[in-house]
Amino acid sequence: MSQGGHSTVDASATDTDTADTDTADVTTTANTRAKTGHWAGAARLTARLLLAAVLAYAGLVKIGDLTEAGRTVALYRIVPDDSAQLVGGVLPFVEVALALLLAAGLATRAAAAGAAVLLVAYVAAIASVWARGVSIDCGCFGGGGTLSGGAARGYALDIARDLLLLGAAALLIQNPRTRYALDSWVLDPKE
């Protein structure tokens, strides 16, 4: 429209176009965040359940024969034999307790931190026997014992596995909130 030689722009049309563009940008951003959040949440849930399953299996297998668990700890020659029996007897119960907390999603950050401490100790112990040239089965899932040789490949796989699990624990320490966790009921009580 022109008035006295000046043209005026229909302000309502411009505002609508801008609003449509802003709405589209917000919708696209929200969709991207939702997809990213979904995958991140799925990764944390998978990390929590994987860590719980591995710790539960390792602990339960060792609980079946605590004397053997103590002997396996003694083979590492890191602690005295008397202490090795104690460590071998207590460690499986700690693993199962952490597994139960992780499976339930209760005190997830603390349980993941406890698992991380164990995993760092396991990696250090395995690296220690590897560096000293000692050939033993790690005993991570029960059993354990002296091997005739060729333990280096097994040590590398054991360390790689424990580092992967340590990564899962680190993810949960950084962001412990996952689906299907009791933490959400405890930390976010509904009124």
Side-chain angles (χ1 to χ4, degrees), residues 86-105:
L86 177 63
V87 170
V90 170
L91 196 57
F93 293 100
V94 172
E95 290 172 332
V96 170
L98 290 172
L100 290 172
L101 287 171
L102 287 165

Side-chain angles (χ1 to χ4, degrees), residues 6 8 11 30 39-40 59 68 71 85 90 97 101-102 115 121 139 157 180:
H6 299 312
T8 58
W39 288 111
E68 181 64 28
R71 276 189 290 242
Q85 286 300 317
V90 170
L101 287 171
L102 287 165
L157 291 175
Y180 315 113

Side-chain angles (χ1 to χ4, degrees), residues 13 26 64 70 75 80 88 90-91 107 115 126 134 148 153 162-163 179:
V26 169
L75 289 173
V90 170
L91 196 57
I126 294 167
V134 177
S148 57
R153 180 173 176 263
D162 288 349
L163 289 175
R179 288 188 178 134

